[in-house]
Amino acid sequence: LYCIQWLRPDGEVFFAEVTDADEARERQVRAHVEANLAAWQRAGLVPDMPIEPGQKTDELIRTRGWTHWRHLFTPRQIQQIALWQHHARRHDCAAALGVVTARLLDYMTRLTRWNTSKTRGSGSPANTFDNQALNVCYNYASRSFAGVVSLLPRYEVLCSTFQHDDRLIEPCDARAIAAPCDLWVSDPPYADAIVYHEITEFFIAWLRKNPPPPFDTWIWDSRRRLAIKGSGHGFRTAMVEAYRAMAAHMPENGLQVVMFTHQDTAVWADLAAILWAAGLQVTAAWCVVTETDSATREGNYVQGTVLLILRKRQEDKSAFLARLLRPIELAVERQLAAMRDLNPQDEPDFGDTDFQLAAYAAALKELTAYGRIEGKPVAEEVLAAEGDSATYTRVKDLLDRARRLASDFLIPKGLPREVWAELNPTERFYVKGLELERQGEARYAAFQELARGF
């Protein structure tokens, strides 16, 4: 403890160095936690779960030597959350308050950085997952009880909205779905996706023991071994099983919504292969703005997410990939024109990367309408081991073509199309880079992504 932020009754905020009285209070809290920790763990109020090694969890073990999830919390934070859980679990709204526990955990760890970007001027503790990783801080921020209370939602709203009815929440393997559904919404894993199967253990450690109904029937395990992750043939096969199961449990007029944001052509080719082999067809694609600018984001993050609308493929049409090139080009041009018309000139919602995502989606809409390619069933081709399928390679080539069309489409404002058409890729990159600079773009990765596009 080296500095304390104070709030006066009139709202004035100021900082002060640590006094002997402050240190004495910290020692008192520490002694209280040491005396009660074992009992709290037996009651399930504080975790006793070890940290399993993994892609993201290794950083905690390697850089700090933390071996159990409770090590991510200070004595004061452990005391605060244990006290909250003790009372919340005995309340009539125990289930709703249990959800609030997860919010408190997110804002009360040794991984909460000091957020100085607040317009209020003095800043405040940020949340642990302001990005989807477990980042160790050397100057973390810890909340007093007043700071904890500020995180709580209004009590009457909280307890009035959490009601028992006929809704069903069932954590299960997507490949073993048994319940029918008219509408499926999925945000699939892909390539370098967030490792939810590791970082969810942060919450599971605190919530798994003696949870209130209906959470007492849940399986409080991250199921790491069942997580669909990675890329390549094994990834595609597991994903096809999941989407086939969802398709099999929806009516003929049902639909699926798939949220996708990745920028890599190979990953989009994987997605095309998966949807094809699952018997699904892309019938529409919408790019919606889902992200805002943030000081914590570095790199060329997309501002939008592509929402792919899928339905069961009703016809077993056949096509040759060579003959699909022109229909794909026309579909991409229509999609980009529609987005451009919706994009305000003064404050654009979509950036170059979003147009590239939309180009991929438009290409998928054309491709997935066919059940047979070159006379062979799509499922047979796309599930072949990578490197053994010429179709898979040609699909990636078609998606690359869609990406290049997006690059051709993004003509800098004020530049005649005839001039743009005469420029080679290097010259286009230079001119487009000048336009980015004029717009105030300073992210190095934005120019990297622009270079890949050209």
Side-chain angles (χ1 to χ4, degrees):
L1 187 65
Y2 63 91
C3 185
I4 299 177
Q5 182 191 51
W6 291 90
L7 178 66
R8 288 195 171 97
D10 62 2
E12 180 189 358
V13 175
F14 68 97
F15 293 86
E17 62 182 325
V18 179
T19 66
D20 292 340
D22 297 324
E23 293 283 12
R25 280 190 287 271
E26 292 302 302
R27 288 194 295 271
Q28 185 180 4
V29 170
R30 188 180 189 88
H32 181 69
V33 172
E34 287 176 349
N36 291 278
L37 183 60
W40 290 344
Q41 287 180 318
R42 286 194 297 272
L45 303 177
V46 176
D48 56 6
M49 182 173 156
I51 300 173
E52 290 188 34
Q55 180 181 335
K56 293 297 181 183
T57 52
D58 275 349
E59 183 179 357
L60 304 174
I61 302 169
R62 182 180 64 252
T63 60
R64 284 294 184 270
W66 293 337
T67 58
H68 289 70
W69 286 105
R70 67 175 183 274
H71 293 161
L72 277 64
F73 300 82
T74 67
R76 180 180 288 273
Q77 291 165 341
I78 289 175
Q79 181 197 40
Q80 290 167 334
I81 301 173
L83 184 64
W84 165 265
Q85 293 223 86
H86 173 71
H87 290 285
R89 291 183 177 182
R90 300 161 67 183
H91 200 278
D92 293 340
C93 296
L97 296 176
V99 176
V100 177
T101 302
R103 174 174 169 80
L104 297 182
L105 292 171
D106 187 24
Y107 280 85
M108 297 168 59
T109 72
R110 286 174 166 161
L111 309 183
T112 53
R113 63 181 179 82
W114 185 254
N115 186 359
T116 58
S117 62
K118 295 287 185 181
T119 55
R120 288 171 47 193
S122 53
S124 62
N127 59 321
T128 299
F129 293 106
D130 65 349
N131 63 21
Q132 303 302 315
L134 295 166
N135 297 319
V136 176
C137 300
Y138 71 90
N139 61 335
Y140 56 85
S142 182
R143 293 172 180 264
S144 66
F145 184 72
V148 175
V149 170
S150 70
L151 298 173
L152 304 179
R154 285 176 53 203
Y155 174 77
E156 64 273 17
V157 175
L158 177 71
C159 289
S160 65
T161 56
F162 201 96
Q163 301 173 356
H164 293 285
D165 52 23
D166 59 352
R167 296 170 188 160
L168 174 65
I169 301 175
E170 184 178 5
C172 67
D173 188 338
R175 292 162 286 189
I177 288 171
C181 206
D182 293 334
L183 169 65
W184 296 96
V185 182
S186 56
D187 184 4
Y190 42 83
D192 56 351
I194 299 163
V195 288
Y196 289 115
H197 51 282
E198 292 183 15
I199 61 179
T200 50
E201 293 171 1
F202 168 92
F203 297 101
I204 289 172
W206 282 89
L207 304 174
R208 67 191 182 107
K209 283 192 175 182
N210 303 321
F215 303 129
D216 56 344
T217 62
W218 285 24
I219 300 172
W220 288 96
D221 186 282
S222 63
R223 300 295 186 93
R224 284 200 191 192
R225 291 185 299 276
L226 294 179
I228 300 176
K229 50 186 179 292
S231 59
H233 180 254
F235 169 77
R236 290 202 300 274
T237 301
M239 289 285 283
V240 167
E241 291 174 359
Y243 278 99
R244 270 183 179 166
M246 286 187 279
H249 290 86
M250 74 181 194
E252 294 303 307
N253 64 342
L255 61 86
Q256 296 193 31
V257 180
V258 177
M259 306 165 66
F260 213 70
T261 58
H262 211 282
Q263 302 174 51
D264 192 308
T265 307
V267 179
W268 276 92
D270 272 336
L271 181 65
I274 290 160
L275 301 180
W276 247 347
L280 294 168
Q281 175 183 352
V282 178
T283 58
W286 302 89
C287 192
V288 298
V289 178
T290 55
E291 303 290 340
T292 56
D293 292 329
S294 169
T296 62
R297 289 181 174 273
E298 295 179 359
N300 194 26
Y301 286 89
V302 293
Q303 298 297 108
T305 295
V306 175
L307 303 183
L308 299 173
I309 312 301
L310 310 172
R311 295 185 183 273
K312 288 184 177 180
R313 190 167 52 247
Q314 303 293 346
E315 301 178 66
D316 191 24
K317 295 192 298 183
S318 181
F320 291 92
L321 285 176
R323 294 183 180 179
L324 287 178
L325 179 58
R326 186 54 186 160
I328 287 175
E329 290 177 345
L330 294 173
V332 170
E333 290 172 0
R334 288 193 299 268
Q335 179 74 48
L336 298 178
M339 286 181 64
R340 180 190 58 193
D341 294 341
L342 291 170
N343 212 27
Q345 294 295 322
D346 50 349
E347 293 185 12
D349 291 326
F350 302 123
D352 290 357
T353 50
D354 298 310
F355 282 95
Q356 290 168 352
L357 291 183
Y360 289 146
L364 257 61
K365 186 177 177 180
E366 289 295 319
L367 287 170
T368 55
Y370 299 91
R372 292 176 176 271
I373 296 294
E374 317 290 350
K376 299 179 181 178
V378 168
E380 178 184 317
E381 282 293 287
V382 301
L383 290 178
E386 191 168 354
D388 295 341
S389 171
T391 300
Y392 183 78
T393 302
R394 292 175 68 185
V395 166
K396 285 197 289 187
D397 291 340
L398 285 174
L399 292 173
D400 266 327
R401 173 61 180 159
R403 183 187 184 124
R404 289 194 296 272
L405 284 173
S407 298
D408 291 342
F409 187 84
L410 300 172
I411 303 173
K413 186 178 179 180
L415 190 71
R417 177 176 290 275
E418 296 77 14
V419 176
W420 182 250
E422 292 176 358
L423 300 179
N424 64 38
T426 306
E427 292 168 335
R428 287 186 177 188
F429 168 61
Y430 178 75
V431 173
K432 194 67 180 176
L434 291 177
E435 183 184 48
L436 285 186
E437 280 192 356
R438 185 179 63 185
Q439 295 170 353
E441 179 60 79
R443 295 172 298 175
Y444 180 64
F447 294 89
Q448 284 185 316
E449 186 61 28
L450 193 65
R452 294 191 190 100
F454 288 115

